[in-house]
Amino acid sequence: MELKTNGSVLEILGNIKSVEHFQEIKTILDKMKQNHTRITLKIPTSFSMTSSVIGYLMKLIHKDNIDLSIRAGDIRLINLLKDLGLDTDFKITKA
């Protein structure tokens, strides 16, 4: 997995599949939320997302009041988040 930031956009390349990936994503988002109230995640290739990442994103939205949106490229990730009822919270769009 590779992470790239550009202002309020975090691009996550590769699959999100381990605790280490969660820690990397959390570290970057913790820094980003200090300067941004709106964050966009671009996830062009991952078809999965760990429960720890999902839980952390929910915390960002509901506790930290971050306006979060996800632009996903893989329909399997979109369907996973829709099946979990998170498409509205995460403002998911197809990239």
Side-chain angles (χ1 to χ4, degrees):
M1 184 191 73
E2 181 182 352
L3 303 175
K4 296 180 181 181
T5 59
N6 184 5
S8 65
V9 177
L10 171 60
E11 185 171 16
I12 303 170
L13 302 168
N15 285 321
I16 304 166
K17 59 183 179 182
S18 70
V19 174
E20 291 80 19
H21 291 165
F22 161 68
Q23 290 295 338
E24 291 176 48
I25 292 167
K26 181 182 182 301
T27 299
I28 289 180
L29 288 174
D30 281 343
K31 291 176 187 173
M32 290 177 73
K33 74 179 184 180
Q34 294 174 6
N35 299 314
H36 303 283
T37 57
R38 176 177 287 158
I39 296 174
T40 301
L41 299 181
K42 292 170 80 175
I43 310 173
T45 57
S46 186
F47 60 85
S48 63
M49 183 179 288
T50 63
S51 60
S52 54
V53 172
I54 292 170
Y56 179 73
L57 296 179
M58 292 297 291
K59 176 199 167 288
L60 284 179
I61 294 167
H62 294 291
K63 186 174 181 218
D64 299 334
N65 296 315
I66 298 296
D67 182 6
L68 182 83
S69 61
I70 295 177
R71 296 186 59 210
D74 194 306
I75 193 68
R76 295 173 289 182
L77 178 59
I78 294 169
N79 288 337
L80 168 69
L81 296 173
K82 282 184 179 181
D83 289 347
L84 294 172
L86 299 172
D87 49 324
T88 302
D89 283 342
F90 291 168
K91 299 178 185 167
I92 299 169
T93 57
K94 176 86 169 102

